[in-house]
Amino acid sequence: MDRFQAMQVFTRVVDANSFTGAADLLGLPRATVTTIIQNLEALLQVRLLNRTTRRISLTPDGAAYYEHCARILGEVEEIRLEQLLRRVE
């Protein structure tokens, strides 16, 4: 499993508050998003999201993991933008 992609998918699910919304934003099938989240939870050995047929919510572990993911992904994006700016200069 690509952990970086899994972090991106997880944060999109949380931000969209929906597996379907995240799938649409990422251009992935909903089933793929679901599988990635299930595999991530198995890898981490924690439940990140509580799911019902109508809504999702973060578990305490999920909230902590989301904060870490958001910070890491933000830092990676900053580095990417810095590199792009250096190429332009």
Side-chain angles (χ1 to χ4, degrees):
M1 171 180 37
D2 180 341
R3 287 188 190 192
F4 187 75
Q5 180 193 34
M7 290 169 58
Q8 290 174 314
V9 170
F10 173 66
T11 57
R12 290 288 183 173
V13 168
V14 173
D15 292 342
N17 201 31
S18 160
F19 281 76
T20 302
D24 291 344
L25 289 169
L26 294 165
L28 296 171
R30 185 186 185 286
T32 300
V33 170
T34 300
T35 300
I36 289 170
I37 297 300
Q38 288 171 342
N39 290 341
L40 180 61
E41 289 177 325
L43 175 73
L44 299 173
Q45 298 181 349
V46 297
R47 186 174 252 328
L48 299 171
L49 299 165
N50 292 315
R51 304 158 179 83
T52 68
T53 55
R54 297 190 181 259
R55 56 177 280 175
I56 61 170
S57 62
L58 284 167
T59 64
D61 288 329
Y65 189 69
Y66 175 80
E67 293 302 320
H68 290 292
C69 288
R71 188 185 75 249
I72 291 166
L73 293 172
E75 290 174 4
V76 168
E77 183 61 15
E78 283 181 36
I79 292 167
R80 187 186 72 81
L81 291 174
E82 287 174 11
Q83 290 174 341
L84 286 174
L85 287 174
R86 286 187 184 132
R87 287 186 204 153
V88 173
E89 296 174 344

